[in-house]
């Protein structure tokens, strides 16, 4: 690991520690909300969290070009739109990101704010769901839970891949905790399982902008490579450890 990357990793883990011990994060965890902790407490105007790795770190599975557009244009675009919308909505501008997502999810007049806020959250969670030299099988309690709840490792891979492949149009596939069981689910557009009280452990972005430059129409190849080479099971295990039994 380069010195810059080491320093970045140190900064992120220190920030995670500080946030995790803060009362707001404890309250959020008690409410079953997990993930993306470094944006959970921030208020508008929101800032773009740094990528947890260099933009070429996931090559060849995800090219630096895809990462540059995806993070620098798409994720930043959602964030900029959200801040613009909140500048005209002072009643919502005091909410943290997760609270904002839950509040606007049930208000049809706030769909633009919901879409941009949820996409900011989802992308932050997606970057953390990947790492260089990731992929393959997890170990320990996470693997045991996956094998117990899906009936084995191969059935998990099949179900998660199917959720990601069959999401019609834009959206996301997730490994979530639902009613005490791990499940593979999909959501459309900006929708996110945190509004359904299903804590996510991992997500894959299946919007075309996530893979089209590298895989064109071959979404299945992207999903397969993602599971084999970049999925971050350490992050998933960390999320699972925060979910109350
Ligand atoms: Mn995306």
């Amino acid at each position: 690991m380069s010195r810059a990357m080491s320093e970045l990793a140190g900064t992120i883990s220190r920030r995670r520690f500080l946030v995790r011990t803060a009362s707001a994060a404890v309250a959020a965890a008690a409410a079953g909300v997990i993930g993306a902790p470094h944006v959970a407490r921030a208020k508008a105007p929101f800032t773009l969290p740094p990528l947890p790795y260099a933009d070429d770190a996931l090559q060849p599975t995800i090219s630096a070009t895809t990462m540059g557009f995806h993070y620098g244009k798409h994720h930043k675009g959602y964030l900029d739109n959200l801040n613009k919308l909140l500048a005209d909505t002072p009643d919502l501008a005091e909410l943290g990101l997760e609270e904002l997502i839950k509040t606007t999810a049930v208000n049809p007049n706030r769909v633009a704010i919901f879409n941009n806020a949820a996409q900011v959250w989802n992308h932050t969670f997606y970057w953390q769901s990947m790492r260089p030299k990731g992929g393959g099988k997890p170990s320990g309690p996470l693997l045991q839970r996956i094998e117990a709840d899906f009936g084995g490792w191969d059935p998990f891979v099949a179900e998660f891949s199917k959720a990601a492949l069959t999401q019609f149009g834009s959206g996301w596939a997730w490994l979530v905790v639902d009613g005490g069981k791990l499940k593979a689910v999909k959501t459309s557009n900006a929708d996110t399982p945190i509004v359904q009280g299903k804590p996510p452990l991992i997500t894959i972005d299946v919007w075309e902008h996530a893979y089209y430059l590298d895989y064109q129409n071959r979404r299945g190849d992207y999903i397969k490579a993602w599971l084999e080479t970049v999925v971050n099971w350490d992050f998933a295990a960390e999320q699972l450890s925060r979910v109350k039994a």
Side-chain angles (χ1 to χ4, degrees), residues 70 74-75 78 119 123 126-127 171-172 205-207 209-210:
H70 201 174
H74 291 273
H75 194 184
Y78 296 123
Q119 283 294 79
H123 280 90
Y126 172 62
W127 309 134
W172 304 80
D205 188 342
V206 293
W207 285 59
H209 66 227

Side-chain angles (χ1 to χ4, degrees), residues 59-75:
Q59 296 197 107
T61 304
I62 296 176
S63 68
T65 306
T66 289
M67 194 63 87
F69 277 97
H70 201 174
Y71 173 74
K73 301 293 183 188
H74 291 273
H75 194 184

Side-chain angles (χ1 to χ4, degrees), residues 12-233:
I12 289 168
S13 68
R14 274 194 302 281
R15 191 179 301 152
R16 279 193 185 140
F17 174 77
L18 291 169
V19 169
R20 205 180 301 153
T21 53
S23 58
V26 171
V33 177
I34 54 170
H38 55 290
V39 293
R41 289 175 62 242
K43 292 178 180 175
F46 294 100
T47 55
L48 197 63
L51 270 182
Y53 31 71
D55 63 2
D56 61 355
L58 303 182
Q59 296 197 107
T61 304
I62 296 176
S63 68
T65 306
T66 289
M67 194 63 87
F69 277 97
H70 201 174
Y71 173 74
K73 301 293 183 188
H74 291 273
H75 194 184
K76 184 176 185 302
Y78 296 123
L79 186 106
D80 291 345
N81 285 339
L82 176 62
N83 284 332
K84 272 184 215 155
L85 289 162
L86 290 174
D88 297 328
T89 320
D91 57 313
L92 294 174
E94 289 301 307
L95 300 179
L97 186 60
E98 291 179 359
E99 206 178 345
L100 181 62
I101 290 166
K102 290 182 171 181
T103 301
T104 54
V106 293
N107 186 342
N109 297 321
R110 298 297 187 207
V111 67
I113 292 179
F114 170 80
N115 283 339
N116 285 285
Q119 283 294 79
V120 168
W121 196 96
N122 292 346
H123 280 90
T124 303
F125 199 84
Y126 172 62
W127 309 134
Q128 294 175 298
S129 295
M130 302 184 286
R131 69 176 178 89
K133 297 192 171 70
K137 266 191 193 184
S139 58
L142 176 59
L143 179 60
Q144 290 166 9
R145 286 287 297 274
I146 287 174
E147 290 179 338
D149 292 346
F150 288 90
W153 175 254
D154 292 342
F156 158 73
V157 170
E159 283 193 42
F160 186 86
S161 301
K162 185 182 170 192
L165 194 61
T166 61
Q167 168 52 37
F168 186 76
S170 297
W172 304 80
W174 309 78
L175 177 62
V176 300
V177 183
D178 179 10
K181 281 193 76 172
L182 303 195
K183 291 183 184 168
V185 300
K186 55 190 175 183
T187 60
S188 293
N189 298 317
D191 202 8
T192 177
I194 66 170
V195 300
Q196 304 158 2
K198 297 174 185 172
L201 306 186
I202 216 90
T203 192
I204 180 171
D205 188 342
V206 293
W207 285 59
E208 284 185 348
H209 66 227
Y211 63 87
Y212 218 84
L213 291 175
D214 299 328
Y215 300 87
Q216 294 78 49
N217 61 324
R218 292 173 283 111
R219 189 193 286 188
D221 289 355
Y222 159 64
I223 297 162
K224 185 169 187 289
W226 192 89
L227 283 169
E228 289 176 354
T229 62
V230 297
V231 61
N232 184 353
W233 290 124

